Amino acid sequence: MKSQILAASLAASLAGLSTLPAFAGALDAPAADPIPPAAPASVAVVPQGGDWTGGYAGVQLGYGDVDGTGAADGDDVLYGVHLGYDYDFGTFVLGGELDYDGADIDLNGAATVDSVARLKLRAGYDFGRTLGYVTAGVAEVDTSLGSEGGEFYGIGVAYQINERYTVGAELLEHNFNDISGTGVDADATTLTVRGSIRF
């Protein structure tokens, strides 16, 4: 009788074990679901500034060095104003400008340079807040001998402090021949720093 009770208890115990959940490390443990890869983080685009489209006006201050026929040489301070408009095509900027420099450059007593006016075409590359450009056009010099037209070319750079204000610098080379029929020729180099308000 005892053997029958013991056999029944053993059978019941074995039946109960088959219904228990599988433990970690069991051979038949279910595989964990794979973790999906994380979505790539979006890259933030840092604004570079530099929309150069629009009008501007400002002032300049600099230095002029005139090399004239014979001993007609001299150099002195320049001061002036400018007004222009640019159009930004993306990386290429095209614009036009009028500017005027007053001066009092004594050419060793042979003459004096009183002013230079220019009509400019400028073309440049938009680096963002910085614009580098080349410029060329026509100029008119006013001297004590009279006035004369000529041409110029040069390079410049402008930097946007903010959307409204820019600063920059410009180096120009000028050529004037036979000023007012006197036979006096003059080459002039000007270097100016500039400040502008954009609108």
Side-chain angles (χ1 to χ4, degrees), residues 169-195:
E170 202 169 71
L171 176 66
L172 303 177
E173 293 288 341
H174 308 72
N175 181 257
F176 303 101
N177 294 320
D178 193 18
I179 296 174
S180 199
T182 61
V184 175
D185 300 335
D187 296 326
T189 302
T190 62
L191 176 62
T192 56
V193 292
R194 297 154 54 92

Side-chain angles (χ1 to χ4, degrees), residues 50-143:
D51 182 4
W52 292 90
T53 297
Y56 62 92
V59 295
Q60 66 255 11
L61 178 67
Y63 169 81
D65 183 13
V66 181
D67 182 13
T69 301
D73 300 332
D75 56 84
D76 210 333
V77 174
L78 302 173
Y79 47 90
V81 295
H82 56 266
L83 173 68
Y85 185 90
D86 288 322
Y87 190 85
D88 194 333
F89 291 91
T91 56
F92 176 69
V93 178
L94 186 64
E97 182 181 296
L98 292 170
D99 84 357
Y100 175 87
D101 280 327
D104 186 18
I105 302 175
D106 180 14
L107 304 181
N108 284 331
T112 57
V113 175
D114 301 319
S115 65
V116 181
R118 305 174 191 89
L119 174 61
K120 299 177 178 176
L121 178 67
R122 67 182 197 171
Y125 187 84
D126 180 354
F127 292 97
R129 289 191 178 276
T130 302
L131 173 67
Y133 61 91
V134 294
T135 184
V138 293
E140 182 168 339
V141 64
D142 186 25
T143 75

